[in-house]
Amino acid sequence: MAWVFTEEIRRLNRQGMTFNRMAAACHFARSTSWFNRLVNYDEGNPPPPRVIGDLAAMMGTSRRHVSEMIVEEWYGVRPDDAVSDHLRSLVIALHELDGDDVPVVEQLVKRLRDKCSEKRRLEGELEEARKAFASSSGQVLAGPASVS
């Protein structure tokens, strides 16, 4: 079982949000003791659908993301959208952008992608040069080359 919802609550708690503040921030959709039992004793019933919006506001994320965490943790069901975990929060944020901002984000992503492609190309050329040098001089290579 993945503890994705519980881990997010733990993360908020580590950042200084007390269980009292969590309860107040979600308009007491979940009680202080519910958060305490969830985090400290790994027990608690899944939040009902009617409180997902309040939890999302408290957690600073979307209703969809909270729903996904709940079904994954309590029911063992992961969304089948092939979005990796490290990109999930980015996808959620992108869905909330104004249409005017999308071209700016696309331009930034393309620039970063081109930078990574160029780095991989340079690393490949450097590796080929190292191999050519090693074979012509009879040296043994220590490992792959890296471009920073």
Side-chain angles (χ1 to χ4, degrees):
M1 177 188 279
W3 301 99
V4 292
F5 184 90
T6 299
E7 282 306 314
E8 182 64 14
I9 298 300
R10 284 183 177 133
R11 185 188 67 77
L12 292 170
N13 187 243
R14 281 191 306 271
Q15 290 179 343
M17 184 178 264
T18 64
F19 299 141
N20 286 331
R21 284 183 48 211
M22 288 181 198
C26 71
H27 305 103
F28 298 94
R30 298 281 88 179
S31 67
T32 300
S33 64
W34 184 85
F35 286 111
N36 181 49
R37 285 190 322 271
L38 182 70
V39 169
N40 293 312
Y41 303 103
D42 293 326
E43 62 182 48
N45 295 320
R50 65 180 161 72
V51 304
I52 289 174
D54 291 325
L55 289 170
M58 182 270 297
M59 296 167 93
T61 191
S62 70
R63 293 173 57 92
R64 177 185 169 105
H65 190 220
V66 171
S67 298
E68 289 173 350
M69 288 188 292
I70 290 168
V71 298
E72 183 173 351
E73 180 162 332
W74 276 277
Y75 304 107
V77 177
R78 282 192 53 117
D80 191 20
D81 57 9
V83 175
S84 61
D85 289 339
H86 73 281
L87 293 178
R88 189 169 305 283
S89 61
L90 180 60
V91 169
I92 291 165
L94 290 173
H95 278 290
E96 296 172 357
L97 288 180
D98 290 331
D100 296 342
D101 294 330
V102 172
V104 175
V105 174
E106 286 175 339
Q107 184 179 16
L108 174 64
V109 170
K110 287 176 184 174
R111 182 169 181 212
L112 293 171
R113 181 196 63 209
D114 292 347
K115 179 181 170 185
C116 289
S117 295
E118 180 66 8
K119 181 181 175 186
R120 282 191 295 272
R121 185 187 67 74
L122 290 172
E123 286 175 341
E125 288 180 10
L126 182 58
E127 187 63 26
E128 287 178 27
R130 288 181 73 228
K131 287 178 182 176
F133 175 77
S135 70
S136 68
S137 65
Q139 293 184 353
V140 176
L141 297 178
S146 179
V147 175
S148 296

